Amino acid sequence: MERTRVLTLLELPPEILNQIVPSLSRHDLSICVRVTRAWHDAFMDSLWHTVELRDDNYYSSHRPVFDCVKSLHGPHLIVPGKEGVVTTKSPFLRNIHRIRVIKVQYTSSLNLFWEQGPTPLEPIPLKELSVEFESDPKPEPQHLTRYGQLPEATEPTNMDAILQILGRSTRLSSFSVMAGVLTRKLQIEDQARLLSSLPASLEELHMTSDKLYHGTEVVVDQELKTKALNLFQELKQDMFENLATLSIEGEPADPILIAALVERSPKLQEFTVDGYRGHWSDSQLADIISKSSKGWKTLGFMNLMEGEIGPLTVEAILPSSATLENLRLPNCDALNSRSIQKLLCSAPNLKRLDLISDYVHGELEPYSLMALDIVESDEGWACLGLETFKCYIGGVPRPDVTCKKNGRPLTGIYNNGSHYSLTESSRIQRQVLAQLGRLTKLREITLGKDVVDFEGGNHVAHWDEQEMEGAYYSHSGYELGSQYQCLTMSLQDGLDELKDLKCLRRLTLEKMCLSTGPAEQTWMKENWPQYGVESRDTFWTSRGHSVLVGTDLQNEKYSADDDGLAQDDLATFDWW
């Protein structure tokens, strides 16, 4: 009988070894490379694949950068010298040909990858680079006793190091840069140098400036600005030939530079902005959007101030309707009902539409798609593949509703009964729901949302409520966001027009004056077989956008990468 031979680890088939290595921790890998020469050669690439020099608990611990370095690969690889300087040639430079991902937080970390001298440098196979332009934090006493006296926090920025890395990374596909909490924004000349050094291989660019400095006007030297713009204008027209995704958070760069970047990116079709009260004007944002040569597929805007998304921006967005697949545009009163209707009728590829405001200042009408604009249009909605529809539908005649919940009389034409009868109201609602019913791929519909967090100390909301309701103001039952010219969602008024929405999983009708009862609940259960099934759409959260859940912008029940329902929370939306 032939004896079974025991295989060593390195004799295993590659497909099995490739499943084992990812499960090993960095500490495990640092041990493996010291076993034998063969093990060293087998595991060294995995050990150095990703280098992450950052401290996620920076605000509480202020750990020095070389402490991060030492914990990364073990004390045998890094020996701090005086004042935290590496005394021998950096192991990062010796192994830079193995590194595919670099993520650094503190400025001095860049020195570990920077090789000075006139000798021509070989390209490096880096695929992903993430840099936060932060100064080294002031060390805590325990670090002083462990490592000796350390320097005070210094001002960045070591642009030479980052520019050299960019220049050598001919395969780089993703670059993230953040102007950190300890520094002001990069000067415009540095912005131009940084952008003009991006390799042609780049596919994703993420730029962020810290929120602490928003609202502070930064004076820009006009001579430097002219010099920077001239530097950028000299770049060839298709300089960024592979760039497909551009993400902006805050105001990390001058809008003129961003517009020039877009103009030189022929494949760019995704643009997301998280403003945090930036300083871009409507015309500046419109100029950036209008530079697209192929038309946008994804446009997402969050946390912009009133007026930043104005009529010029809306006018620049609409020409992309033929290519548009995903649009998130909350808090935009410039996107009026007719513009929304025009978009829906001319966007055949649209999959996600999110126009729900995260905070309502007054009446909902400026943010709503009006029922009569739907009914009176000669065109049907072209977006038959739409999966997510989040938009207020207002202007629905509701003569059955004559006052608000707080008792305040409703005197407008939609509620006083003098302009529309119940029969006319039912006819209009049925026509509106018939349009929705044609969108048979819908998985999620949001027509009403309670997004004002009064318990979270939102004093502005209290003041708005008091100003609007006057003598009818009450500490309970706030009216902000309430809809009284909305769909009843009853069978009598056309709910059965939605019978073909077999993919529907979630329906949100918060703060709406509904007329649903047991008959509607039974009908929904019978006709929507997927409703209540856990639905996860990470599209926007994977791009850094917060998710509106109930009255919280970021509810703890939902993970940061989950746009859908938590498994144990389905009952919240299973409102029948």
Side-chain angles (χ1 to χ4, degrees), residues 2-47:
E2 186 178 352
R3 296 182 62 183
T4 303
R5 188 172 70 88
V6 178
L7 297 177
T8 65
L9 179 64
L10 299 184
E11 291 177 316
L12 292 174
E15 58 270 19
I16 296 179
L17 193 60
N18 290 338
Q19 294 184 34
I20 295 175
V21 173
S23 65
L24 299 177
S25 68
R26 202 173 297 280
H27 177 69
D28 295 334
L29 291 169
S30 69
I31 294 174
C32 288
V33 298
R34 289 179 286 171
V35 175
T36 65
R37 171 58 64 181
W39 279 49
H40 177 279
D41 295 341
F43 291 101
M44 200 63 172
D45 286 346
S46 299
L47 175 64

Side-chain angles (χ1 to χ4, degrees), residues 266-319:
K267 294 183 180 179
L268 185 60
Q269 289 193 291
E270 179 174 321
F271 181 45
T272 59
V273 179
D274 201 336
Y276 289 113
R277 300 180 179 178
H279 298 286
W280 286 2
S281 66
D282 180 30
S283 60
Q284 289 172 331
L285 193 54
D287 184 49
I288 293 173
I289 294 172
S290 65
K291 298 296 184 182
S292 173
S293 58
K294 292 186 65 176
W296 298 103
K297 285 187 177 180
T298 296
L299 289 171
F301 303 92
M302 287 292 294
N303 296 306
L304 295 180
M305 297 181 70
E306 291 183 14
E308 285 188 302
I309 303 180
L312 296 178
T313 301
V314 172
E315 188 177 339
I317 291 174
L318 291 177

Side-chain angles (χ1 to χ4, degrees), residues 401-467:
V401 181
T402 58
C403 64
K404 294 185 175 182
K405 294 178 182 178
N406 61 14
R408 181 174 182 171
L410 294 166
T411 58
I413 62 172
Y414 299 114
N415 298 104
N416 61 19
S418 61
H419 288 75
Y420 300 97
S421 65
L422 285 173
T423 302
E424 290 173 307
S425 171
S426 182
R427 175 184 61 81
I428 291 172
Q429 292 187 64
R430 184 168 289 277
Q431 288 180 268
V432 171
L433 290 170
Q435 275 284 28
L436 269 178
R438 295 174 61 244
L439 311 181
T440 57
K441 300 293 181 64
L442 279 172
R443 296 163 58 93
E444 181 176 355
I445 299 176
T446 299
L447 301 178
K449 199 74 173 174
D450 186 2
V451 295
V452 181
D453 181 15
F454 290 101
E455 295 181 0
N458 192 332
H459 301 296
V460 176
H462 282 288
W463 296 333
D464 284 354
E465 180 78 11
Q466 289 179 341
E467 183 178 350

Side-chain angles (χ1 to χ4, degrees), residues 21 26 53 66 92 102 144 166 187 211 223 234 314 352 381 393 419 422 509 512 555 574:
V21 173
R26 202 173 297 280
L53 305 179
F66 56 80
F92 295 90
I102 295 176
L144 296 177
L166 287 173
Q187 293 299 317
K211 292 176 281 187
E223 183 177 346
E234 293 174 359
V314 172
R352 296 175 181 86
W381 291 352
I393 296 181
H419 288 75
L422 285 173
L509 306 171
M512 293 175 63
N555 193 307
D574 193 10

Side-chain angles (χ1 to χ4, degrees), residues 14-162:
E15 58 270 19
I16 296 179
L17 193 60
N18 290 338
Q19 294 184 34
I20 295 175
V21 173
S23 65
L24 299 177
S25 68
R26 202 173 297 280
H27 177 69
D28 295 334
L29 291 169
S30 69
I31 294 174
C32 288
V33 298
R34 289 179 286 171
V35 175
T36 65
R37 171 58 64 181
W39 279 49
H40 177 279
D41 295 341
F43 291 101
M44 200 63 172
D45 286 346
S46 299
L47 175 64
W48 283 96
H49 179 276
T50 299
V51 176
E52 187 168 0
L53 305 179
R54 56 174 298 111
D55 181 10
D56 291 332
N57 297 316
Y58 159 68
Y59 292 103
S60 60
S61 67
H62 297 275
R63 187 171 59 188
V65 62
F66 56 80
D67 197 6
C68 299
V69 174
K70 188 171 181 178
S71 65
L72 180 66
H73 294 294
H76 66 287
L77 290 176
I78 297 295
V79 180
K82 284 187 176 182
E83 298 184 346
V85 178
V86 179
T87 56
T88 60
K89 183 176 181 179
S90 168
F92 295 90
L93 285 177
R94 294 199 303 270
N95 293 281
I96 200 166
H97 62 285
R98 307 177 190 273
I99 301 174
R100 299 295 181 271
V101 179
I102 295 176
K103 298 180 180 180
V104 297
Q105 180 174 6
Y106 301 126
T107 305
S108 60
S109 304
L110 298 173
N111 295 324
L112 300 171
F113 307 92
W114 183 33
E115 189 170 1
Q116 302 186 50
T119 306
L121 300 174
E122 296 293 328
I124 55 178
L126 194 64
K127 299 288 289 184
E128 180 182 341
L129 177 61
S130 176
V131 179
E132 298 179 18
F133 284 115
E134 294 189 5
S135 304
D136 293 341
K138 185 176 181 179
E140 292 183 345
Q142 61 266 32
H143 296 124
L144 296 177
T145 57
R146 288 179 63 189
Y147 298 108
Q149 185 63 39
L150 300 175
E152 296 290 326
T154 57
E155 285 298 319
T157 297
N158 189 345
M159 288 296 295
D160 292 330
I162 185 62

Side-chain angles (χ1 to χ4, degrees), residues 534-546:
E534 185 177 10
S535 177
R536 295 179 180 272
D537 183 357
T538 63
F539 186 83
W540 291 115
T541 48
S542 66
R543 286 154 175 79
H545 285 213
S546 59

